[in-house]
Amino acid sequence: MTVVITGQGAITRRGAMTGAAALAFPTIVPASVFGATAPSNRIAIGAIGVGRISRGHDMKEVLRHDDAHIVAVCDLDTKRLKAGQQFVDAAYDGKQGKPYTGTRGHDDYRDLIADKGIDAVLISTPDHQHARLAVDAVRAGKDVYLQKPASLTIAEGRIMADAVKASGRILQIGSQQRGQEPWPQFHRACELVRNGRIGQLRHVEIGLPGDPSGAAAPPMPIPANLNYDAWLGSTPEAYYTEMRVHPQDSIDARPGWLRCEQFGAGMITGWGAHHIDIAHWGMDTELTGPVEIWGTAEFPKTGLWNVHGPFETHARYANGMTMTISGVFPNGIKFIGDDGWIFVTRSGSVTASDPGAAPAAPLVASDAKILDSVISAGEVHLRKTPEQHRDWLDAIRTRGPVSAPAEIGHRACSTCLLHWTAMKTGRRLRWDPVAERFIGDDAANALLSRPQRKGYAIA
């Protein structure tokens, strides 16, 4: 028997039906009746946040598939909202032999998720909005594709994961390194490690860049097209400046909020959510986290941007494995065992403004023979999944598992935030991954959550 380990830790026979496949949707008719791409059978999708990552990745990937239809978009910047509508309209224009101008627009996500005709949503907003929007969406009965990282804080991530479980909805985290497209090398690396091809795994090195500091940015008038109060969301009030938000003259440029701690933690979550997720996959620690974390980092002393720069952090897991994350390593993940090592990295970027991947082969090992190894029928076979959005659409139809469900996404994000907490405190921290609390450190536990502004808190 071939053993297949799914993204949720369940074990099934290859080819067996998983999940409650017979469950039906209000707007989805079985393909056997009308065909998979018949209008009545398409998955109706709303896109929340239609900037750089949505247009360049999330909506772009969904638009490849004729069994899904983006019917509505939402953005707090009406310029981007209009551009998002035009982007989707252009993708569908002429497909049925006539012009298409049917994409609905919303400037409040609550209106979009209240639409009973929408089955699922893409959430491609800044990081600080992820958890709240995901919670509201699943409670409204929507399946969710959620851009990583899962949350701004560990406390928010726990609320999100629990809400998804209670709702019974499907949530896929945008951890696209798990899919066979575009980078099958990550699956291959983890499968080799899990089957002992480098001996007992002892240590993992993760290469992540830091972010540069920036100049001072004086207050500016809030553009009439931007609902800035709602854009700030749960975070504290702060004066508007374009460098804090996103460029007004470009949708594709890298936005400034990525480098402001008010809205995220910097590269430790921005790319760390990807690489730590893969590390956990290879370490077989997807549903837990480290028990000890320590390290140092440099933070800017001037300017608007204040996320971490150069850093080095360390972690120890209950099974004795250790991890080091630093920009001194090549961008990627190196698994080190008693009998050798495997290094894996990307072979391209998601968007043009992403930091470059390591200038190295995407999959290398201490001995080339390791990479030629055949995984036999009786060994661990990690579940192979298609591109992350396709995997999500398939799961919506079958009610089966996704490759990066809410709990796994939360654990990867929370581990990133543990490393960030070590950077901020500068001391060795002990962590209980079951209780999700620091042991004997009230000051560190105070960083598990942040105060949330009235009207924007997770209810």
Side-chain angles (χ1 to χ4, degrees):
M1 179 185 75
T2 298
V3 178
V4 181
I5 299 182
T6 74
Q8 293 175 311
I11 299 178
T12 66
R13 292 179 183 270
R14 187 184 298 275
M17 181 180 293
T18 59
L23 290 179
F25 265 108
T27 58
I28 300 176
V29 179
S32 59
V33 178
F34 294 111
T37 62
S40 59
N41 192 51
R42 293 179 191 146
I43 301 168
I45 292 175
I48 304 174
V50 290
R52 177 187 70 113
I53 196 67
S54 184
R55 287 163 54 100
H57 183 53
D58 290 332
M59 288 198 297
K60 179 182 175 182
E61 290 295 339
V62 169
L63 287 167
R64 292 170 55 191
H65 304 293
D66 291 336
D67 62 341
H69 184 194
I70 299 175
V71 298
V73 297
C74 176
D75 204 284
L76 293 170
D77 186 324
T78 56
K79 283 173 59 176
R80 291 187 166 214
L81 175 60
K82 183 178 179 180
Q85 288 178 276
Q86 293 172 342
F87 177 81
V88 178
D89 283 349
Y92 292 133
D93 191 54
K95 279 197 172 184
Q96 296 178 342
K98 56 185 178 181
Y100 184 88
T101 56
T103 307
R104 301 191 295 277
H106 299 279
D107 58 10
D108 189 325
Y109 80 94
R110 292 170 295 187
D111 296 332
L112 186 149
I113 65 173
D115 187 339
K116 300 297 184 184
I118 292 177
D119 304 306
V121 296
L122 297 166
I123 297 176
S124 313
T125 64
D127 297 358
H128 67 290
Q129 304 275 16
H130 287 180
R132 176 178 175 236
L133 269 61
V135 169
D136 287 352
V138 297
R139 288 176 178 168
K142 311 304 182 189
D143 293 318
V144 174
Y145 187 98
L146 180 64
Q147 257 302 322
K148 58 75 206 164
S151 63
L152 182 66
T153 67
I154 293 175
E156 285 182 3
R158 172 45 56 206
I159 293 171
M160 182 277 295
D162 288 348
V164 172
K165 182 177 181 180
S167 72
R169 308 319 300 171
I170 288 170
L171 185 143
Q172 171 88 300
I173 296 288
S175 189
Q176 67 267 20
Q177 291 178 172
R178 282 180 172 255
Q180 290 297 292
E181 181 192 345
W183 301 305
Q185 61 266 29
F186 291 99
H187 175 279
R188 176 63 172 164
C190 291
E191 202 167 68
L192 289 168
V193 171
R194 292 277 286 269
N195 283 291
R197 295 306 190 268
I198 58 173
Q200 177 63 47
L201 179 62
R202 301 294 183 184
H203 184 64
V204 178
E205 292 177 350
I206 297 178
L208 288 178
D211 269 310
S213 60
M220 298 170 63
I222 299 172
N225 50 284
L226 176 65
N227 184 343
Y228 182 58
D229 186 74
W231 187 89
L232 286 173
S234 65
T235 72
E237 292 184 18
Y239 68 80
Y240 172 81
T241 186
E242 188 173 327
M243 192 171 158
R244 193 195 303 276
V245 187
H246 53 247
Q248 282 293 310
D249 61 355
S250 172
I251 293 177
D252 300 319
R254 195 170 178 82
W257 64 260
L258 283 164
R259 291 167 173 163
C260 296
E261 280 201 332
Q262 182 168 346
F263 313 116
M267 281 294 183
I268 192 63
T269 53
W271 269 56
H274 289 301
H275 286 355
I276 288 176
D277 176 49
I278 295 301
H280 281 180
W281 203 12
M283 296 165 69
D284 194 14
T285 57
E286 295 166 283
L287 297 175
T288 182
V291 295
E292 196 171 16
I293 319 96
W294 65 100
T296 58
E298 296 177 20
F299 288 88
K301 293 181 173 59
T302 60
L304 181 72
W305 291 340
N306 59 355
V307 296
H308 71 85
F311 74 103
E312 183 172 300
T313 54
H314 308 267
R316 180 179 62 82
Y317 287 72
N319 60 11
M321 295 179 193
T322 55
M323 177 186 292
T324 299
I325 310 176
S326 176
V328 303
F329 303 132
N331 191 330
I333 305 105
K334 186 175 185 179
F335 297 100
I336 302 170
D338 289 337
D339 300 332
W341 54 263
I342 292 173
F343 174 78
V344 61
T345 188
R346 293 187 182 186
S347 48
S349 296
V350 171
T351 65
S353 60
D354 277 352
L363 183 62
V364 292
S366 53
D367 185 336
K369 293 178 182 178
I370 293 173
L371 304 182
D372 296 330
S373 177
V374 176
I375 308 300
S376 66
E379 294 187 287
V380 171
H381 287 251
L382 299 176
R383 178 171 169 259
K384 287 187 176 181
T385 57
E387 189 276 330
Q388 203 78 349
H389 298 81
R390 180 67 259 173
D391 183 51
W392 176 58
L393 295 174
D394 290 344
I396 290 174
R397 292 192 173 280
T398 66
R399 312 316 290 169
V402 288
S403 59
E407 186 65 31
I408 284 177
H410 165 61
R411 292 294 182 165
C413 181
S414 64
T415 299
C416 296
L417 292 168
L418 292 175
H419 283 260
W420 173 82
T421 307
M423 294 182 202
K424 299 298 285 188
T425 63
R427 60 179 177 270
R428 209 173 188 101
L429 304 170
R430 292 184 300 146
W431 175 251
D432 182 341
V434 176
E436 292 186 306
R437 299 282 294 175
F438 291 104
I439 300 169
D441 196 321
D442 292 341
N445 281 322
L447 298 176
L448 295 176
S449 62
R450 301 189 193 184
Q452 298 187 325
R453 280 201 303 151
K454 185 178 180 180
Y456 295 103
I458 296 179

